[in-house]
Amino acid sequence: MNWNNTTHRYGSLSISLHWLMLALLIGVYACINLHELAPRGSDLRADLKTWHFMLGLTVFALVFLRLAVRFVTPSPQMNPQIAAWQRHFAHLMHGALYAFLILMPVLGWLTLSAEGKVIPFFGLELPALIGPDKALGKSIEDIHTTIGTVGYYLIGLHAAAALYHHYFVQDDTLRRMLPLRKRS
């Protein structure tokens, strides 16, 4: 399989980044939701929050690589072509997903900064983006939480659209993003 996108199919770099980002997002959401089940003050609860931060910042780093690949290589054409309004909606949805992937880690980083907490990243301590301000930190955290909920819907709509195209429209939307399997 080619690393670069072609006019007919996404390349292995785009495909790998797409599915890696999904795995990271599952980890981000799992860590923050599971931390609520751990006893307050426990190491498990603290570790899950730390992993939430680190995986979120990994998403932040990778989204820029993903955007670079998207702008440097061609986007595969859909076969058959879709209506202009559907193409417009797909572009809006992708824009919203990319905004989500950038905004959420930044809001998390700002929250930790405003709360005066360490920003962990796999053994490193990242610099604070703003000075300590508990009230501002709480406000940013509330926005982060709300957008996190919106993220469930964005990701769900994206997946539903891919499945709709695959099973009902029967075009190649989903197949273009799936890894190739060896034929028997």
Side-chain angles (χ1 to χ4, degrees), residues 32-156:
I32 204 60
N33 287 312
L34 291 173
H35 106 281
E36 293 291 331
L37 301 176
R40 289 191 184 277
S42 69
D43 288 342
L44 176 60
R45 187 179 181 99
D47 289 345
L48 286 168
K49 283 185 84 171
T50 297
W51 277 100
H52 172 77
F53 304 145
M54 293 190 305
L55 294 175
L57 289 169
T58 303
V59 167
F60 183 65
L62 289 177
V63 74
F64 293 103
L65 175 60
R66 186 135 185 239
L67 283 167
V69 169
R70 184 175 176 99
F71 288 117
V72 171
T73 62
S75 290
Q77 298 296 316
M78 291 182 67
N79 187 17
Q81 291 290 320
I82 58 174
W85 71 268
Q86 288 178 321
R87 194 168 32 261
H88 179 69
F89 187 74
H91 288 299
L92 287 174
M93 176 59 80
H94 282 110
L97 283 166
Y98 281 114
F100 169 78
L101 294 172
I102 293 168
L103 187 60
M104 285 300 287
V106 169
L107 289 171
W109 194 343
L110 286 168
T111 298
L112 290 177
S113 298
E115 292 175 348
K117 294 182 179 173
V118 170
I119 296 93
F121 190 67
F122 299 103
L124 301 174
E125 187 176 317
L126 300 179
L129 296 177
I130 57 177
D133 182 335
K134 295 280 186 191
L136 178 61
K138 180 64 178 138
S139 295
I140 296 170
E141 184 178 18
D142 289 344
I143 294 167
H144 180 76
T145 301
T146 299
I147 295 174
T149 301
V150 170
Y152 281 116
Y153 295 101
L154 286 174
I155 295 163

